[in-house]
Amino acid sequence: MNHTKLIGIIDSLLDTDAYKLHMQQAIYHQYPHVEAVAEFHCRSKEDLRPYAKAIQAQIQHISTLSFAQKELDYLASLSFFKKDYLTYLKDFSLNSDQVTVDDSGDQLSIKIKGKWIDIILWEVPLLAIICEIRSSICYPHSTADDAIAQLKTKIERFYQNAKTVDDETQTVTDLSQFSLIDFGSRRRFSKDVHHKVVDYLAENVPEFKGTSNYHLARTRGLTPFGTQAHEWFQAHQQLTGELADSQQLALNRWLQEYPDSLGIALTDCINTDAFLRDFNQELSERFVGLRHDSGDPIAWGEKAIKHYESLGIDLKTKSLIFSDSLTLDKALCIYKHFAHRINVSFGIGTQLTCDLPSVETLNVVLKLTQCEGRPVAKISDEPGKIMCRDEDYLTQLRQAFKIAN
């Protein structure tokens, strides 16, 4: 194995999804001493144990990084970051001692343990590292040019399908409200592919509106996107008195940190029905929209619309963000269904940044499994996305939110 070209896969702590920093700031202000555990899981069932040493070397490298002043200055230019948090980031670094990589079992095991505020920034770069190491070994001859050639084909098909006359309306699709966002940091084929795909989109696709990656947003002058992830809701399962109150606590604490910005709420940590029961009039009015991440996107969107309508909320004031295993083709179908009823945007990840000829994508996640020494879980709208190490706790969670097994 040639490690030379893989030295420093991650060379900036801003090479991460924006919501990680958004959540870290909220943790800094509200939960600075909370302990947490996050664990790696390969949904693809691929044996990643042969890459353990290369992954360890990258973990050691990333622990030497810190935020550059120009990066902190960039974050300071964004209205929602506070001065005290940015001062904290000046001395921040990732601690490799908090990460345990174990290849002695049947599958690669990675566990990260420490204060939540310290470990939260490991997820995105670590997954990107794993994916790039695997790509360099399994597909050594695949290049960014291959990714761009594939992307051009998809974009041509996207525009052609948009021009196709709709059978019902007898019109072509108006793309003026279509918003495409890069969500491809964590499962990208490589950093090089990710950067070149984003550069191509920025130069050639008017519907491309920005990226979830802060490094790319800063260096390319793009709009950054992101709010919170499942872990925000998961952690609150052990930060509340009554388990059934945890979602509302998570939502209200988010508004406490970001009263006038970053107002998109993720709906499927438990499931969307349970979320909407907690998403009362005040919360529905204050959050500007919702993000979809599991289950049928059309059914989810219709539920969201019905919820807003039942509260008398003008749909034109709200947004739905779709981000679950999207392709451009899927996004266009969803857009055609909801366009001009409610604002919609599409965060596409793997199918932008790891779509190369003959390359099988890797489905990997790193999720919170404990908070304050107690289990937490993600149930989701899709059975295959359940993440929990404790079946008894999973039963307790289902009972608290009135979810059938």
Side-chain angles (χ1 to χ4, degrees):
M1 185 189 305
N2 180 11
H3 296 288
T4 305
K5 68 175 182 177
L6 292 178
I7 291 173
I9 289 175
I10 303 297
D11 53 17
S12 167
L13 289 180
L14 275 192
D15 189 2
T16 192
D17 283 331
Y19 66 19
K20 282 293 179 175
L21 294 176
H22 303 163
M23 289 188 291
Q24 191 188 42
Q25 176 171 259
I27 296 165
Y28 174 79
H29 289 134
Q30 301 180 38
Y31 303 112
H33 304 298
V34 164
E35 298 280 332
V37 176
E39 296 183 52
F40 171 78
H41 177 60
C42 180
R43 291 174 178 158
S44 306
K45 306 300 182 185
E46 186 172 328
D47 186 2
L48 303 176
R49 291 175 298 172
Y51 315 139
K53 287 185 178 178
I55 292 167
Q56 283 276 29
Q58 293 296 325
I59 288 170
Q60 293 300 321
H61 168 75
I62 197 174
S63 67
T64 67
L65 301 179
S66 58
F67 286 97
Q69 188 57 50
K70 61 187 176 183
E71 294 175 329
L72 295 173
D73 291 343
Y74 166 74
L75 295 179
S77 74
L78 305 173
S79 61
F80 39 79
F81 284 116
K82 309 291 195 301
K83 186 177 291 187
D84 60 347
Y85 170 64
L86 296 178
T87 299
Y88 161 79
L89 285 186
K90 285 183 179 180
D91 297 319
F92 179 84
S93 62
L94 290 164
N95 182 357
S96 60
D97 292 340
Q98 295 172 326
V99 186
T100 302
V101 179
D102 183 2
D103 61 353
S104 63
D106 295 334
Q107 289 286 342
L108 181 69
S109 169
I110 302 177
K111 181 180 285 191
I112 305 173
K113 185 176 182 180
K115 286 186 178 179
W116 189 18
I117 191 172
D118 294 333
I119 70 170
I120 189 169
L121 295 193
W122 271 112
E123 178 188 354
V124 178
L126 184 54
L127 293 179
I129 283 166
I130 292 167
C131 289
E132 183 155 354
I133 289 171
R134 178 252 193 184
S135 296
S136 71
I137 294 166
C138 295
Y139 307 102
H141 303 298
S142 295
T143 67
D145 289 341
D146 298 327
I148 297 302
Q150 189 110 318
L151 179 62
K152 287 179 180 178
T153 300
K154 291 186 294 185
I155 291 170
E156 288 173 8
R157 185 172 66 242
F158 170 80
Y159 284 127
Q160 190 60 46
N161 290 340
K163 291 176 183 176
T164 302
V165 176
D166 186 271
D167 291 338
E168 292 184 15
T169 64
Q170 293 301 304
T171 60
V172 298
T173 303
D174 173 15
L175 292 174
S176 61
Q177 302 301 311
F178 190 97
S179 294
L180 170 64
I181 307 163
D182 157 51
F183 274 19
S185 298
R186 68 190 59 213
R187 298 182 190 132
R188 63 197 186 191
F189 182 86
S190 68
K191 178 171 59 181
D192 185 43
V193 165
H194 187 192
H195 290 192
K196 289 182 178 173
V197 163
V198 167
D199 288 342
Y200 185 86
L201 291 170
E203 292 169 9
N204 297 281
V205 179
E207 293 77 20
F208 180 66
K209 304 303 182 185
T211 177
S212 66
N213 185 289
Y214 261 139
H215 174 71
L216 287 172
R218 184 187 76 82
T219 57
R220 270 69 174 173
L222 299 172
T223 301
F225 288 89
T227 51
Q228 81 288 119
H230 294 103
E231 70 182 288
W232 182 254
F233 293 92
Q234 287 178 274
H236 280 83
Q237 293 166 14
Q238 298 297 353
L239 297 173
T240 186
E242 293 292 331
L243 186 52
D245 296 335
S246 61
Q247 286 197 127
Q248 285 203 335
L249 178 63
L251 290 165
N252 280 297
R253 286 293 174 88
W254 191 258
L255 289 173
Q256 181 181 327
E257 187 69 27
Y258 302 107
D260 305 308
S261 60
L262 307 183
I264 299 292
L266 182 59
T267 66
D268 73 325
C269 186
I270 307 301
N271 71 20
T272 296
D273 290 337
F275 176 88
L276 292 177
R277 286 195 294 269
D278 285 341
F279 203 53
N280 59 26
Q281 184 85 38
E282 181 185 1
L283 291 170
S284 296
E285 289 175 351
R286 293 193 63 190
F287 278 89
V288 299
L290 303 171
R291 179 161 75 90
H292 171 264
D293 199 48
S294 63
D296 182 86
I298 301 296
W300 175 87
E302 290 295 343
K303 276 183 185 179
I305 286 174
K306 184 178 179 181
H307 174 79
Y308 283 130
E309 288 179 335
S310 73
L311 298 175
I313 293 174
D314 182 0
L315 296 180
K316 298 296 185 182
T317 67
K318 299 300 175 184
S319 296
L320 302 181
I321 314 298
F322 295 87
S323 62
D324 178 36
S325 304
L326 287 183
T327 63
L328 279 170
D329 293 338
K330 285 182 186 176
L332 184 60
C333 289
I334 297 168
Y335 176 77
K336 287 181 177 182
H337 184 88
F338 291 110
H340 309 299
R341 294 171 65 195
I342 190 169
N343 301 306
V344 291
S345 296
F346 302 93
I348 305 184
T350 309
Q351 292 301 317
L352 283 181
T353 62
C354 194
D355 188 13
L356 291 80
S358 303
V359 170
E360 290 188 24
T361 57
L362 188 63
N363 190 348
V364 288
V365 295
L366 189 85
K367 294 292 183 185
L368 224 59
T369 55
Q370 288 184 37
C371 180
E372 293 292 75
R374 299 182 294 273
V376 299
K378 172 194 170 190
I379 296 178
S380 151
D381 288 317
E382 198 171 309
K385 289 190 170 185
I386 290 175
M387 188 85 177
C388 185
R389 300 296 192 209
D390 188 318
E391 286 297 324
D392 291 339
Y393 177 72
L394 202 55
T395 299
Q396 182 186 348
L397 191 63
R398 286 192 170 112
Q399 290 173 344
F401 286 95
K402 301 180 176 60
I403 297 171
N405 289 333

